Amino acid sequence: MPIRNRFAELLPEITEWRRDFHAHPELQFECHRTAQIVAEKLRDFGCDEVIEKIGVTGLVGLIHGRSRASGRVVGLRADMDALPIMEATGKPYTSIHHGKMHACGHDGHTAMLLGAAKYLCETRNFDGTVAVIFQPAEEGGAGAKVMCDAGLMARFGIQEVYAMHNRPGHGLGEFNIRAGAFYAACDEFRITVEGLGGHAAKPHATIDPTVAASHLILALQTIASRNADPTQNIVMSVCGVRTESQAYNVIPQRVELRGTIRTHDAGLRKLAETRLHAVAQGTAAAFGASAEVEFVEGYPVMVNHEAETKIARDVALDVSNQCLEAGFNMGGEDFSYMLEERPGAYIVLGAGEGPGLHHPEYDFNDEIIPYGCSWFVGIAETRLSV
């Protein structure tokens, strides 16, 4: 079962959809235009039901097979939202919205799942129901969780769920997947170091929070190098430093540090949080300052289920004869919430060479559309075989 001929025929049409989404990016839950177009197309394709406003702008299309005797329902998910990035591709279909851009390929994911939905509505060569899930707010808004909290899985009787992401830098059409922990838990922190501000000419009369914060940035790295099991994966990154003064001759009262912690293990995730508090407060105290720590839990570890990973891999091999064992990924993915509720798997599809994800010159490679559409259809027909 190589790439299906139908998707070679549909490629110009699906590409046109994708580029229209690209030109009209929407952030987080504000995917009103995108969701409306998706809903209209699903109805035009002949979806049996289209249910909108699940998780604000999320929606689900239900496609019944020639038979429903099995009672089985398989979910296929695509994300719809863009990023707050200034586009620099120079493409004819570049974003018309200043400071918003589809820099992660969600425009392509949406278009590929729409293409798969059109094919499934035409053929219906399966026994059961396919639920095509279009989700907002993957980029930091936990849209998957919001849809799950709205009863997504139980409401539509979804028993398994699958998703895909494009990946520049991997060979065109080359799939990658791994069972178990795949994408990392992504937590955020804000540390406010407070001292005693004053004139820069009299540092002895102050408690300088910039010095304490500078030592703290280095000390936090010992969480990874001296507290974490070296066989485990952890990233501790301080990504921003801000003071309340922009003057050159003022020692500020406060300095704020912001950053992220990425882990693949629940125990290590908790250890990192505990040590974050201890290291911040201890380091600040050594300089006579204090530290207030705010720890915000983000997306949990995304864990692919063993049996469903094998299914996803087998379908990928059928489509392109290329499916490699993926390494751990320290990025975050809110599909983790769906995989906590139902068994399933998440796969990566190589997009060839080009600027990476979240880069202002990134553009989804339309050549991979037939691979992605074929994989979505392959999952549906394999799991709901007649």
Side-chain angles (χ1 to χ4, degrees), residues 275-307:
R275 293 300 299 153
L276 179 75
H277 285 269
V279 171
Q281 291 162 359
T283 303
F287 291 89
S290 63
E292 180 182 341
V293 180
E294 180 184 357
F295 183 88
V296 180
E297 280 197 358
Y299 300 165
V301 180
M302 191 186 73
V303 181
N304 272 346
H305 296 249
E306 190 80 32

Side-chain angles (χ1 to χ4, degrees), residues 1 6 9 175 183 204 207 258 293 319 323 334 386:
M1 185 188 68
R6 182 67 174 126
E9 298 169 4
F175 290 90
Y183 280 55
H204 60 288
I207 298 173
R258 293 188 176 194
V293 180
V319 170
C323 190
D334 77 344
V386 177

Side-chain angles (χ1 to χ4, degrees), residues 114-369:
L114 275 175
K118 181 168 185 172
Y119 179 97
L120 291 168
C121 285
E122 290 174 353
T123 60
R124 300 185 185 264
N125 188 30
F126 55 93
D127 176 11
T129 298
V130 177
V132 287
I133 304 163
F134 294 87
Q135 176 213 306
E138 191 281 325
E139 298 289 358
K145 183 178 189 301
V146 174
M147 291 190 78
C148 286
D149 289 347
L152 172 68
M153 301 301 176
R155 179 176 176 181
F156 302 109
I158 297 170
Q159 296 154 339
E160 300 173 21
V161 64
Y162 298 85
M164 176 199 309
H165 205 294
N166 81 100
R167 181 69 59 182
H170 290 236
L172 181 68
E174 173 192 281
F175 290 90
N176 289 254
I177 196 170
R178 68 176 294 116
F182 192 176
Y183 280 55
C186 300
D187 301 317
E188 299 174 352
F189 62 84
R190 180 166 62 233
I191 302 172
T192 303
V193 180
E194 182 157 1
L196 178 63
H199 199 292
K202 296 183 177 181
H204 60 288
T206 72
I207 298 173
D208 191 342
T210 59
V211 173
S214 299
H215 281 265
L216 177 53
I217 290 171
L218 296 177
L220 288 173
Q221 298 308 310
T222 64
I223 297 174
S225 67
R226 290 298 178 267
N227 299 139
D229 182 335
T231 65
Q232 295 288 331
N233 303 313
I234 180 170
V235 169
M236 167 72 69
S237 294
V238 177
C239 301
V241 180
R242 184 169 64 184
T243 73
E244 58 187 6
S245 171
Q246 300 301 311
Y248 289 90
N249 61 350
V250 173
I251 291 173
Q253 184 82 6
R254 298 176 190 84
V255 173
E256 181 184 278
L257 306 179
R258 293 188 176 194
T260 182
I261 303 174
R262 310 291 177 106
T263 53
H264 281 110
D265 175 81
L268 182 56
R269 186 185 194 188
K270 186 62 181 176
L271 171 68
E273 179 185 0
T274 300
R275 293 300 299 153
L276 179 75
H277 285 269
V279 171
Q281 291 162 359
T283 303
F287 291 89
S290 63
E292 180 182 341
V293 180
E294 180 184 357
F295 183 88
V296 180
E297 280 197 358
Y299 300 165
V301 180
M302 191 186 73
V303 181
N304 272 346
H305 296 249
E306 190 80 32
E308 287 70 25
T309 298
K310 182 180 184 306
I311 292 161
R313 180 183 288 113
D314 289 345
V315 171
L317 287 169
D318 283 342
V319 170
S320 75
N321 201 33
Q322 300 178 83
C323 190
L324 305 182
E325 180 71 10
F328 290 106
N329 192 307
M330 300 311 290
E333 171 54 68
D334 77 344
F335 189 63
S336 54
Y337 292 108
M338 294 192 183
L339 290 178
E340 286 185 336
E341 294 217 355
R342 294 294 186 271
Y346 181 95
I347 200 165
V348 172
L349 172 57
E353 296 305 315
L357 303 176
H358 293 214
H359 190 282
E361 294 181 0
Y362 165 85
D363 184 30
F364 182 87
N365 186 350
D366 295 317
E367 291 183 46
I368 69 171
I369 287 173

Side-chain angles (χ1 to χ4, degrees), residues 27-40:
L27 304 182
Q28 295 225 345
F29 291 100
E30 299 300 314
C31 294
H32 300 288
R33 179 185 185 275
T34 305
Q36 180 181 354
I37 291 172
V38 169
E40 289 171 355

